[in-house]
Amino acid sequence: MTFSEARGLPVVTLGEAREIGALASLALDAAAGRITHLRVAGPHGRKETAVAWNALHAVGADAVIVASDVPPDPGPPGQRHEVLGILVLSEEGEERGTVQDLVFDPSTGRIDKVVTTLGEVAGDRLLGLGDYALVVRAD
């Protein structure tokens, strides 16, 4: 599944079928090549919250289903970095384009690949993500 396909999907609790918001963005652990949290925009302009990946029940074509007892979560510590549109640099300081999309496994949160303006980067090549760039292993 791609992030562009999942963005904007309603996030719904499993037991109550209550919409808690819409998928707004993803929090990544680039070095581990995994999604750690979903950032959920609250309904009706409410505050954005985070849902830990391990609280997910399913990511489907029409909705994201989360456990009924999802506790409020401020998200991972540290700064929030939006990955779409960010510069991609190799560990040698060479530009590899900008991020256009992420392809991830909806059952595990593993990042399969990053789609950039200059091609694709395998998810196991990610090293770090910050406010300036996504750094990847050189070829």
Side-chain angles (χ1 to χ4, degrees):
M1 173 171 268
T2 66
F3 175 58
S4 61
E5 292 170 327
R7 180 185 255 174
L9 288 177
V11 179
V12 179
T13 59
L14 180 63
E16 304 81 16
R18 179 178 55 91
E19 183 178 355
I20 61 173
L23 179 58
S25 63
L26 304 172
L28 309 179
D29 178 344
R34 301 183 63 78
I35 299 167
T36 62
H37 289 75
L38 303 180
R39 297 200 185 274
V40 179
H44 313 294
R46 290 194 181 134
K47 184 177 177 180
E48 185 176 279
T49 60
V51 174
W53 186 266
N54 61 7
L56 263 65
H57 179 77
V59 180
D62 300 310
V64 176
I65 307 296
V66 298
S68 293
D69 58 351
V70 174
D73 188 339
Q79 291 183 310
R80 173 184 171 192
H81 306 294
E82 186 66 44
V83 70
L84 296 186
I86 200 163
L87 178 68
V88 180
L89 293 172
S90 75
E91 63 188 326
E92 296 170 344
E94 297 175 355
E95 183 178 339
R96 299 286 190 233
T98 57
V99 176
Q100 292 183 312
D101 212 344
L102 291 175
V103 179
F104 65 95
D105 182 328
S107 61
T108 65
R110 185 175 59 84
I111 300 167
D112 293 325
K113 61 185 166 185
V114 177
V115 180
T116 78
T117 53
L118 298 177
E120 297 177 348
V121 176
D124 61 0
R125 292 184 45 213
L126 308 183
L127 295 174
L129 174 65
D131 60 351
Y132 183 73
L134 173 65
V135 179
V136 299
R137 267 189 210 87
D139 295 331

